[in-house]
Amino acid sequence: MSPPAITDASGHAETPRENAGADTGLMSQTTAFRRAAARARRKQALDDQKRSFLRMVSHELRTPLNAVIGFSEILSCELYGPLGAPQYKEYASLVHESGLKLLRLVNQIVEIARLEGHVTDLDLGEENLDDAVEDVILQLRGEANARGVSIVVPEAGTLPSLRADGRGLRTILSNLLQNALTHSPQGGLVVVEARQAGGGLVEIEIRDHGEGADPADLPRLIRPFEQGGATLTRASEGAGLGLPIVDLLTRAMDGGLRLKSTPGHGFTAIVTLPDATARPSTSRARF
C-alpha cells in the first residue's frame, strides 16, 4: 500500500517522494554555495600570502642591493679621496654597474610575479601621455647618450590622454624604450608616436632601426625569459622580461600589445590603450 499523499493549500497533492526530491535539491544548492564560499576564502588567503611574499622579497633583495649600488658609486667617484691603485676605481664601477643590472632584474621578476599572480592593484584614471613619455625619456637619457641613440617624439606636446594606471603606463613605456635602445645601432634612432585608433582606443607606437627579428619569433618574445636569436649567439643582455611585462600590463588595463618586425628593417611595438573618455570595463583584470 502506497503512502498517503499530502495536499497543499492549492489542492496540489505532494507525495513523500516529491518532498524528498525538493529537500535534496535545497541541500545540493546549500552545499554548492558553501563550497564556492570556501574556494573564495582560499583564493583570498592565497592572494594575501602572495602579497606578503612579494613584499618580503622586495625588501630583502632591494635593500642590500641599494646599499651595494650606493657604496660602490661612492667608491667609483672617490668621494672621500683617492683609492690608491687605479684598478680599485675600475672595479668599483663594475660593481656599481652590475648592481644596477641585478636590481633591474629583481624589479622585473617581482613585477612578473605580481601580474601573473593577479595581485597588482591598478588605479585607472586620466593620464597625460606627453608627461609619461617625457618622464621615461628623461630617465633613459643617460643610457641613450652612452649608446649614441636619439629618441624622438614628432608630435610631442599634442599626444592624446589615456585612461591608464600612471605607474603601469610608465613601466610600459620604459620597457619598450629600453628594448628599442638595446637593439638600436650606434647613432640609431628610436621614434615614439601615438594616434587615435577609433573605438575609444589610442595606439602608441615605438620603433627602432635595429636588426629586427624573424616574424616567426614574435609570439615567443612575449613569453617570460625568451629573447630573439639563439641563446648562445644573441648580442643583447637581459632576461627577456620586458615585453611579457608590457603584455600583461596592457591586458590588465583593457589594452593590448602587437609586435611587427622584419630582419634588417627594425622592430616595432604597438600598444593599444583606452583613451581618457573610455568607460571602465568590468573585465579589466583578465590575463
Side-chain angles (χ1 to χ4, degrees), residues 31 52 58 65 70 73 92 103 125 132 166 170-173 181 199-200 205 220 224 251-252 266 268 277:
T31 301
S52 177
S58 177
L65 267 177
E73 184 175 14
L103 180 61
R170 284 161 176 79
T171 299
I172 288 170
L173 295 172
L181 287 175
E205 182 176 300
R220 183 170 59 84
R251 284 195 279 158
T268 300
T277 61

Short mmCIF file of all heavy atoms in Angstrom, two decimals, residues 31 52 58 65 70 73 92 103 125 132 166 170-173 181 199-200 205 220 224 251-252 266 268 277:
data_model
loop_
_atom_site.label_atom_id
_atom_site.label_comp_id
_atom_site.label_asym_id
_atom_site.label_seq_id
_atom_site.Cartn_x
_atom_site.Cartn_y
_atom_site.Cartn_z
N THR A 31 25.11 23.12 -0.36
CA THR A 31 26.47 22.57 -0.43
C THR A 31 27.31 23.30 -1.46
O THR A 31 28.47 23.63 -1.23
CB THR A 31 26.42 21.07 -0.75
OG1 THR A 31 25.66 20.39 0.26
CG2 THR A 31 27.82 20.48 -0.82
N SER A 52 52.24 39.15 0.70
CA SER A 52 53.21 39.14 1.78
C SER A 52 54.58 38.67 1.28
O SER A 52 55.62 39.26 1.62
CB SER A 52 52.72 38.23 2.91
OG SER A 52 53.68 38.15 3.95
N SER A 58 60.78 41.87 -2.08
CA SER A 58 61.13 43.23 -2.49
C SER A 58 62.06 43.89 -1.48
O SER A 58 63.06 44.51 -1.84
CB SER A 58 59.85 44.06 -2.66
OG SER A 58 60.16 45.39 -3.00
N LEU A 65 70.84 45.42 -2.14
CA LEU A 65 71.28 45.83 -3.47
C LEU A 65 71.46 47.35 -3.53
O LEU A 65 72.43 47.85 -4.12
CB LEU A 65 70.26 45.39 -4.53
CG LEU A 65 70.52 44.05 -5.19
CD1 LEU A 65 69.40 43.71 -6.16
CD2 LEU A 65 71.86 44.06 -5.92
N GLY A 70 74.86 52.05 -3.86
CA GLY A 70 75.22 53.34 -3.30
C GLY A 70 76.68 53.44 -2.90
O GLY A 70 77.38 54.39 -3.26
N GLU A 73 79.09 53.35 -5.85
CA GLU A 73 79.12 54.64 -6.55
C GLU A 73 80.03 55.63 -5.81
O GLU A 73 80.78 56.38 -6.44
CB GLU A 73 77.71 55.21 -6.67
CG GLU A 73 77.63 56.50 -7.47
CD GLU A 73 76.22 56.99 -7.69
OE1 GLU A 73 75.30 56.48 -7.00
OE2 GLU A 73 76.01 57.87 -8.54
N ALA A 92 85.22 49.18 -8.67
CA ALA A 92 84.04 49.77 -8.02
C ALA A 92 82.99 50.15 -9.06
O ALA A 92 81.78 49.96 -8.83
CB ALA A 92 84.44 51.00 -7.21
N LEU A 103 69.50 44.82 -9.87
CA LEU A 103 68.31 45.47 -9.32
C LEU A 103 67.20 45.54 -10.36
O LEU A 103 66.03 45.32 -10.05
CB LEU A 103 68.66 46.87 -8.81
CG LEU A 103 67.50 47.67 -8.21
CD1 LEU A 103 66.92 46.96 -6.99
CD2 LEU A 103 67.97 49.08 -7.83
N GLY A 125 42.90 55.95 -14.28
CA GLY A 125 42.41 57.33 -14.35
C GLY A 125 42.98 58.01 -15.56
O GLY A 125 43.70 57.41 -16.37
N ALA A 132 54.04 61.33 -19.39
CA ALA A 132 54.61 60.00 -19.17
C ALA A 132 55.81 59.74 -20.08
O ALA A 132 56.84 59.23 -19.64
CB ALA A 132 53.54 58.93 -19.39
N GLY A 166 49.01 55.26 -13.79
CA GLY A 166 50.19 56.08 -14.04
C GLY A 166 51.48 55.30 -13.96
O GLY A 166 52.34 55.39 -14.86
N ARG A 170 54.00 54.15 -17.26
CA ARG A 170 55.43 54.46 -17.32
C ARG A 170 56.27 53.19 -17.38
O ARG A 170 57.33 53.17 -18.02
CB ARG A 170 55.82 55.34 -16.13
CG ARG A 170 55.37 56.79 -16.31
CD ARG A 170 55.31 57.56 -15.01
NE ARG A 170 54.98 58.96 -15.24
CZ ARG A 170 53.73 59.40 -15.48
NH1 ARG A 170 52.71 58.54 -15.52
NH2 ARG A 170 53.51 60.68 -15.69
N THR A 171 55.81 52.14 -16.73
CA THR A 171 56.52 50.85 -16.82
C THR A 171 56.47 50.32 -18.25
O THR A 171 57.47 49.81 -18.77
CB THR A 171 55.89 49.83 -15.86
OG1 THR A 171 56.00 50.31 -14.52
CG2 THR A 171 56.59 48.48 -15.97
N ILE A 172 55.32 50.44 -18.89
CA ILE A 172 55.18 50.01 -20.29
C ILE A 172 56.13 50.77 -21.19
O ILE A 172 56.89 50.20 -21.98
CB ILE A 172 53.71 50.20 -20.76
CG1 ILE A 172 52.80 49.17 -20.09
CG2 ILE A 172 53.61 50.09 -22.28
CD1 ILE A 172 51.32 49.43 -20.31
N LEU A 173 56.10 52.10 -21.09
CA LEU A 173 56.96 52.94 -21.94
C LEU A 173 58.44 52.67 -21.66
O LEU A 173 59.25 52.60 -22.59
CB LEU A 173 56.63 54.41 -21.71
CG LEU A 173 55.23 54.86 -22.13
CD1 LEU A 173 54.98 56.30 -21.67
CD2 LEU A 173 55.06 54.75 -23.65
N LEU A 181 66.29 50.82 -27.29
CA LEU A 181 67.66 51.29 -27.13
C LEU A 181 68.66 50.14 -27.23
O LEU A 181 69.71 50.25 -27.87
CB LEU A 181 67.82 51.99 -25.78
CG LEU A 181 67.20 53.38 -25.61
CD1 LEU A 181 67.36 53.85 -24.18
CD2 LEU A 181 67.82 54.37 -26.58
N GLY A 199 37.15 53.64 -31.88
CA GLY A 199 36.58 52.75 -30.89
C GLY A 199 37.00 53.09 -29.48
O GLY A 199 37.03 52.21 -28.61
N GLY A 200 37.37 54.36 -29.23
CA GLY A 200 37.79 54.75 -27.90
C GLY A 200 39.16 54.26 -27.51
O GLY A 200 39.45 54.10 -26.32
N GLU A 205 53.04 53.79 -30.66
CA GLU A 205 53.98 53.03 -31.48
C GLU A 205 55.41 53.44 -31.15
O GLU A 205 55.73 54.63 -31.17
CB GLU A 205 53.70 53.25 -32.96
CG GLU A 205 54.60 52.46 -33.89
CD GLU A 205 54.22 52.64 -35.35
OE1 GLU A 205 53.07 52.29 -35.71
OE2 GLU A 205 55.06 53.13 -36.13
N ARG A 220 56.86 34.27 -29.47
CA ARG A 220 57.70 33.75 -28.39
C ARG A 220 58.25 34.86 -27.50
O ARG A 220 58.53 34.64 -26.32
CB ARG A 220 58.85 32.94 -29.01
CG ARG A 220 59.75 32.27 -28.03
CD ARG A 220 60.70 31.31 -28.75
NE ARG A 220 61.52 31.97 -29.73
CZ ARG A 220 62.66 32.60 -29.44
NH1 ARG A 220 63.09 32.65 -28.19
NH2 ARG A 220 63.38 33.16 -30.39
N PRO A 224 57.79 34.99 -20.80
CA PRO A 224 58.90 35.34 -19.91
C PRO A 224 60.17 34.56 -20.20
O PRO A 224 60.13 33.38 -20.54
CB PRO A 224 58.35 35.01 -18.52
CG PRO A 224 56.87 35.11 -18.66
CD PRO A 224 56.57 34.62 -20.06
N ARG A 251 47.07 44.26 -21.04
CA ARG A 251 45.82 43.50 -20.94
C ARG A 251 45.08 43.81 -19.65
O ARG A 251 43.85 43.83 -19.63
CB ARG A 251 46.12 42.00 -21.04
CG ARG A 251 46.43 41.54 -22.45
CD ARG A 251 46.37 40.04 -22.57
NE ARG A 251 47.58 39.41 -22.10
CZ ARG A 251 47.64 38.15 -21.69
NH1 ARG A 251 46.55 37.43 -21.62
NH2 ARG A 251 48.79 37.62 -21.31
N ALA A 252 45.84 44.06 -18.58
CA ALA A 252 45.20 44.40 -17.31
C ALA A 252 44.53 45.77 -17.36
O ALA A 252 43.67 46.07 -16.55
CB ALA A 252 46.23 44.38 -16.18
N GLY A 266 64.38 46.77 -38.57
CA GLY A 266 63.94 47.30 -37.29
C GLY A 266 62.82 46.53 -36.63
O GLY A 266 62.33 45.51 -37.16
N THR A 268 59.11 47.06 -34.25
CA THR A 268 58.05 47.99 -33.87
C THR A 268 57.13 47.33 -32.85
O THR A 268 56.68 46.20 -33.05
CB THR A 268 57.21 48.41 -35.08
OG1 THR A 268 58.07 49.05 -36.04
CG2 THR A 268 56.11 49.38 -34.68
N THR A 277 38.44 59.19 -22.39
CA THR A 277 36.99 59.25 -22.29
C THR A 277 36.34 57.87 -22.25
O THR A 277 35.13 57.78 -22.10
CB THR A 277 36.41 60.04 -23.48
OG1 THR A 277 36.75 59.36 -24.71
CG2 THR A 277 36.98 61.45 -23.52
#
